[in-house]
Amino acid sequence: PTLTTVPPSITKADLMSHTALIGKFTTTYDFKGTAEDTEEQRTVFIPNRAFNVEKGASMINGQVIKPSEKWSFNDPVGDRSEESNGWKLAQGIFVGDRKTPQLGGGICQVSTTLYHAMLEAYPYFDFSRRKHSFPSTYVDKGLDATVDTNHIDFKFTNNSGYRIYIFAYVSKNSMYTSRKRDLTVLIYGEALPEGVEYRTRTELIEEIPPDEDVIVESSSLYIGEEQVI
């Protein structure tokens, strides 16, 4: 038969010319407790939180965002309110001022690590992001991105003009190999202009002292017993 060669509209060379590492960030999390932790923390909450972090990382790994596309963290990660989805109970922020066991507790470390990596190429993105009600332990103050099922989401729009690729993986922590692991997020896309680099920093604007303690008597406590919340 007579063959007609049709050249591809996009070649491997085209893709490679617009694909470079533009963002990378790593946070650390516990997967085993210490003697200072309670038995419940060592046997339930700490390993469960590690499971949730690693599950969340696997769900955003390999995401591809087209030019002008809006991306939502909650879309690929899914609902964390139903036990049938495989999430485990771990400590999470409740009503803004305390921690309680929640399905999917720890997932915010994944969204925060992603946010940090993307800030290294921040002109390419429009972010919709909320910080936690109190500081996270794994990033500097004000540089976190909280998420919650059907309530709070981390979103962004790809304004780079080219495809953005997200990769996430976990690895051993070099200093605490027996009880800590590292979560790393990589962002690939159109390279920044030569010589241009972005790094985050925290600037303290105001320090607000706490109000006076609120003391409430409760019939659920013994005389002289105190519970600090």
Side-chain angles (χ1 to χ4, degrees):
T2 302
L3 302 179
T4 302
T5 300
V6 180
S9 58
I10 301 176
T11 66
K12 179 181 177 180
D14 294 332
L15 293 175
M16 292 180 66
S17 66
H18 297 290
T19 307
L21 179 63
I22 59 175
K24 178 181 180 181
F25 196 75
T26 299
T27 58
T28 301
Y29 62 95
D30 293 332
F31 70 95
K32 285 185 180 179
T34 66
E36 298 178 355
D37 299 311
T38 65
E39 182 179 356
E40 187 177 40
Q41 288 173 324
R42 290 195 305 270
T43 60
V44 179
F45 293 143
I46 291 177
N48 281 4
R49 187 183 186 281
F51 174 89
N52 292 335
V53 168
E54 293 168 9
K55 177 180 173 69
S58 69
M59 299 177 91
I60 68 167
N61 182 50
Q63 290 283 304
V64 181
I65 301 91
K66 298 177 182 178
S68 301
E69 182 179 355
K70 295 181 179 180
W71 188 86
S72 158
F73 182 87
N74 282 340
D75 283 349
V77 174
D79 190 354
R80 277 92 65 197
S81 64
E82 297 180 7
E83 196 168 359
S84 59
N85 284 351
W87 299 98
K88 295 187 177 182
L89 279 174
Q91 294 287 351
I93 297 176
F94 178 70
V95 297
D97 63 357
R98 70 197 69 179
K99 287 190 174 183
T100 60
Q102 301 174 29
L103 289 169
I107 190 63
C108 293
Q109 183 161 353
V110 181
S111 55
T112 294
T113 308
L114 171 63
Y115 174 58
H116 245 284
M118 303 190 78
L119 284 176
E120 295 189 359
Y122 87 94
Y124 288 163
F125 307 107
D126 285 333
F127 294 108
S128 174
R129 181 227 31 146
R130 284 176 57 179
K131 57 182 175 57
H132 288 86
S133 53
F134 52 83
S136 300
T137 58
Y138 40 84
V139 290
D140 292 337
K141 291 182 177 68
L143 292 175
D144 51 323
T146 184
V147 290
D148 186 22
T149 299
N150 298 323
H151 179 49
I152 303 173
D153 202 355
F154 170 54
K155 301 179 180 180
F156 65 86
T157 302
N158 175 13
N159 296 325
S160 70
Y162 298 92
R163 293 192 177 204
I164 295 293
Y165 305 87
I166 298 173
F167 297 97
Y169 64 91
V170 298
S171 57
K172 288 183 178 180
N173 181 274
S174 59
M175 293 183 62
Y176 304 96
T177 58
S178 63
R179 64 183 184 89
K180 291 182 181 289
R181 291 175 183 154
D182 290 337
L183 165 65
T184 300
V185 173
L186 307 175
I187 308 297
Y188 283 85
E190 173 73 355
L192 293 169
E194 186 174 356
V196 174
E197 184 180 58
Y198 295 91
R199 289 289 182 263
T200 58
R201 74 167 187 262
T202 295
E203 181 179 345
L204 180 63
I205 303 298
E206 182 182 5
E207 189 167 347
I208 303 174
D211 294 332
E212 294 294 325
D213 291 343
V214 177
I215 301 176
V216 179
E217 294 187 1
S218 172
S219 60
S220 64
L221 301 177
Y222 294 105
I223 295 176
E225 183 182 4
E226 293 183 351
Q227 181 181 11
V228 180
I229 300 177

